[in-house]
Amino acid sequence: YLGQTRLSKKWKPAAGGKEVGRYQPLPPGLFVYYEPAVLDAPRRPEIFESREKLVVQEIRNITLFRRIIATYDDNQFYCLQSTNVINLLEPEGAHRLKFLLGVLNSEAANFFFRLKFPGNNHIPSNQLSEIPIPKAEPDAQSIVEGLVTLILSINRHFADHPAAQTPHDTAMLAYWERILNGLVYELYFPEEVHGAGLGLFDLVAAAELPDLNTIPEAQRLRRLREQYETLQAPDHPLRQALDKLQTLETVKIIEGKG
């Protein structure tokens, strides 16, 4: 019931765990014949056809340091048993999906999962649900969401134009994720981060990251490359804060450097 050609409307775009990459778009080219009557445990189509959802690898080699691999989908992919799907129960719930994605893919959440569930190659949904989600005001969620959107957009561009990506762009993506990780650390450990004189949310707000919706698509990559050069400069306050963050004992333990 899997194929690489869509033979009728009953064949849906599909993705399994191996198609899921961190912040990566689900790749085209795989289809599933979705007929609930012939499936052992069919899931409701609306789970897959929701306007947006998160997709998480369900099987992960236990020897790998990073346990959780998650991405965002707004193309209504049908997800196979080697994935978990996360939908919002309410469109305007306490947390937004892209905010949740930033938390799930963070170093802090992965550290918690490794400690809590050390002996399983599977990443079942009931274990994912035990990851504590830090409290965040709407403004803080918006900042995290903006960074996640930025990373998703860059990865989607390079998925469509792989020849355009340079090693410098890889470093740029890693830096945006470093900022995102810093924000999540501040949410989980505010006393330690603020006690060190760090306020990453304030610094990111002051940096005025671009709103991609206001930039023509043809200009986005250039603008992001320019801002990356500014923000990663050694004398920039955000870069200095991220460097200092690495000296905190909790961060060193989480990242395996303590």
Side-chain angles (χ1 to χ4, degrees):
Y1 295 100
L2 290 175
Q4 297 181 349
T5 304
R6 190 172 194 178
L7 301 176
S8 72
K9 289 184 178 180
K10 287 191 174 183
W11 288 80
K12 309 294 185 180
K18 67 181 181 180
E19 280 78 48
V20 178
R22 294 175 66 250
Y23 301 112
Q24 294 287 343
L26 297 176
L30 182 66
F31 298 91
V32 60
Y33 180 75
Y34 196 78
E35 180 53 70
V38 301
L39 297 176
D40 290 333
R43 289 188 275 182
R44 302 190 315 276
E46 53 266 31
I47 291 175
F48 308 120
E49 296 177 1
S50 58
R51 183 176 62 85
E52 58 176 359
K53 62 181 179 289
L54 302 185
V55 187
V56 187
Q57 282 188 1
E58 202 277 339
I59 301 172
R60 183 80 174 152
N61 189 320
I62 201 168
T63 65
L64 297 174
F65 187 72
R66 181 172 293 281
R67 303 292 293 131
I68 301 170
I69 301 293
T71 195
Y72 174 88
D73 174 52
D74 58 0
N75 288 314
Q76 292 72 56
F77 272 73
Y78 276 57
C79 298
L80 307 181
Q81 288 184 330
S82 52
T83 68
N84 288 301
V85 172
I86 299 174
N87 303 103
L88 284 182
L89 294 178
E90 300 176 10
E92 300 298 331
H95 298 107
R96 306 169 192 168
L97 271 180
K98 288 182 180 178
F99 170 78
L100 290 175
L101 178 60
V103 171
L104 289 176
N105 275 333
S106 70
E107 299 285 356
N110 270 271
F111 177 77
F112 171 86
F113 197 90
R114 285 197 307 272
L115 286 185
K116 180 77 172 177
F117 306 107
N120 196 345
N121 282 330
H122 290 270
I123 315 289
S125 58
N126 65 311
Q127 293 181 0
L128 283 174
S129 68
E130 293 196 35
I131 296 173
I133 305 301
K135 293 181 179 179
E137 296 297 325
D139 286 350
Q141 286 200 47
S142 293
I143 290 174
V144 170
E145 188 176 36
L147 264 168
V148 169
T149 298
L150 184 154
I151 294 168
L152 290 168
S153 177
I154 296 173
N155 281 329
R156 183 166 294 180
H157 176 82
F158 288 137
D160 293 337
H161 307 92
Q165 184 169 3
T166 68
H168 200 64
D169 293 323
T170 302
M172 175 180 67
L173 277 162
Y175 192 71
W176 296 126
E177 284 201 46
R178 186 182 176 193
I179 296 172
L180 185 54
N181 267 310
L183 296 175
V184 176
Y185 280 134
E186 185 170 353
L187 291 175
Y188 274 119
F189 311 108
E191 292 185 1
E192 186 171 358
V193 172
H194 296 160
L198 299 175
L200 292 160
F201 277 94
D202 291 340
L203 291 172
V204 172
E208 296 183 339
L209 298 183
D211 181 355
L212 297 183
N213 293 323
T214 67
I215 305 173
E217 187 172 354
Q219 300 177 20
R220 288 177 185 174
L221 184 58
R222 176 181 59 81
R223 287 281 301 277
L224 291 172
R225 283 168 169 166
E226 291 171 353
Q227 186 145 39
Y228 161 66
E229 291 297 338
T230 298
L231 298 182
Q232 64 87 35
D235 60 347
H236 194 280
L238 181 56
R239 166 68 183 277
Q240 293 175 343
L242 291 171
D243 288 345
K244 186 174 182 181
L245 186 71
Q246 294 296 307
T247 69
L248 302 188
E249 194 62 31
T250 297
V251 173
K252 291 194 289 185
I253 291 171
I254 287 173
E255 297 190 6
K257 302 170 184 176

